[in-house]
């Protein structure tokens, strides 16, 4: 099963918005969606839900709308999960991530992620490019570091290759690219049984000696 779009970033310092999501069932049988869950229910909510409580046929789809309305400041991130409950046990059929950044206007985040790995598949291995951009108009970004954490998966794993980000100092507006890979066997079991993920975190220091960081979740949907 998939949830599209898998990642979403609202424009910098925008405090409201919405996005229609599409859930698609790739299982050979119908799947009943019990609920839609958000890890942040303060800044995000769901409307126009055609998924919850309804069976979705094999290769069928349903939709819902994620509504963003900032109540806080800084990074406002949420995981959007499509959940099925059978005999009291919850199973995540698919999930996606949404993020936003709200500031009081004093400073802007210096790190912004570009393309993120999202690689549905059943066998083999895969990789994705992680692009880091210094979005400051004034300050360079030095002491750049990228690390992987919160890794999940069985009999397999994630790897990070720094590429052009290794030892890089990014001038205002400049970018570098790293590669995140995963090996076969991150998940075991049947269709929709596992969503393996890792969090890539970027750290750096601006010219004004203020440290900054951003994080994004890379995940594999093994169907």
């Amino acid at each position: 099963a998939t949830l599209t779009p898998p990642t979403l970033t609202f424009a910098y310092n925008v405090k409201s918005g919405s996005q229609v999501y599409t859930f698609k069932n790739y299982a050979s049988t119908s799947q009943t969606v019990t609920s839609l869950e958000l890890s942040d229910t303060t800044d995000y909510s769901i409307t126009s839900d055609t998924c919850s409580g309804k069976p979705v046929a094999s290769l069928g789809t349903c939709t819902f709308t994620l509504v963003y309305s900032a109540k806080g400041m800084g990074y406002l991130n949420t995981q959007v999960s499509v959940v099925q409950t059978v005999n009291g046990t919850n199973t995540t059929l698919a999930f996606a991530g949404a993020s936003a950044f709200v500031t009081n206007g004093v400073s802007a985040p210096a790190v912004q992620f570009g393309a993120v790995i999202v690689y549905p598949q059943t066998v083999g291995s895969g990789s994705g490019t992680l692009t880091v951009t210094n979005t400051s108009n004034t300050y360079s970004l030095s002491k750049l570091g990228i690390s992987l954490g919160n890794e999940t998966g069985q009999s397999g794993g994630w790897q990070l290759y720094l590429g052009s980000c290794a030892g890089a100092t990014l001038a205002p507006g400049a970018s570098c690219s790293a590669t995140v890979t995963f090996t076969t066997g991150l998940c075991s079991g049947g269709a929709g049984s596992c969503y393996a993920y890792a969090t890539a975190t970027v750290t750096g220091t601006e010219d004004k000696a203020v440290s900054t960081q951003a994080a994004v979740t890379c995940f594999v949907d093994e169907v």
Side-chain angles (χ1 to χ4, degrees):
T2 58
L3 192 56
T4 306
T7 59
L8 169 67
T9 301
F10 289 98
Y12 167 69
N13 213 26
V14 169
K15 298 182 179 180
S16 63
S18 64
Q19 174 67 49
V20 176
Y21 281 80
T22 300
F23 169 78
K24 185 167 185 177
N25 176 26
Y26 283 100
S28 59
T29 60
S30 67
Q31 301 265 24
T32 297
V33 176
T34 305
S35 62
L36 304 173
E37 297 183 0
L38 301 172
S39 58
D40 176 358
T41 56
T42 299
D43 304 291
Y44 297 89
S45 61
I46 290 173
T47 62
S48 304
D49 178 11
T50 67
C51 297
S52 296
K54 299 176 182 178
V56 180
S58 176
L59 301 182
T61 62
C62 63
T63 61
F64 61 88
T65 300
L66 178 71
V67 177
Y68 160 61
S69 179
K71 304 296 190 301
M73 302 286 288
Y75 289 99
L76 305 176
N77 304 320
T78 191
Q79 180 171 300
V80 186
S81 301
V82 179
V83 177
Q84 181 183 66
T85 304
V86 178
N87 296 326
T89 300
N90 292 337
T91 301
T92 300
L93 300 177
F95 68 82
S99 63
F101 186 90
V102 176
T103 180
N104 58 10
V106 175
S107 61
V111 178
Q112 174 176 298
F113 281 102
V116 177
I117 176 173
V118 179
Y119 208 98
Q121 69 164 44
T122 55
V123 295
S125 60
S127 65
T129 300
L130 190 62
T131 301
V132 181
T133 301
N134 179 6
T135 57
S136 172
N137 294 321
T138 307
Y139 301 105
S140 294
L141 184 66
S142 61
K143 299 180 181 179
L144 190 66
I146 308 177
S147 61
L148 287 180
N150 301 320
E151 300 167 53
T152 69
Q154 302 150 6
S155 65
W158 298 86
Q159 289 185 310
L160 172 68
Y161 300 92
L162 292 177
S164 62
C165 292
T169 295
L170 299 181
S175 300
C176 67
S177 297
T179 301
V180 180
T181 67
F182 68 89
T183 58
T184 186
L186 278 174
C187 302
S188 64
S193 63
C194 175
Y195 290 86
Y197 61 87
T199 300
T201 301
V202 174
T203 58
T205 301
E206 299 175 64
D207 287 343
K208 56 182 181 180
V210 175
S211 62
T212 185
Q213 74 172 50
V216 70
T217 298
C218 314
F219 63 90
V220 179
D221 173 5
E222 290 199 338
V223 297

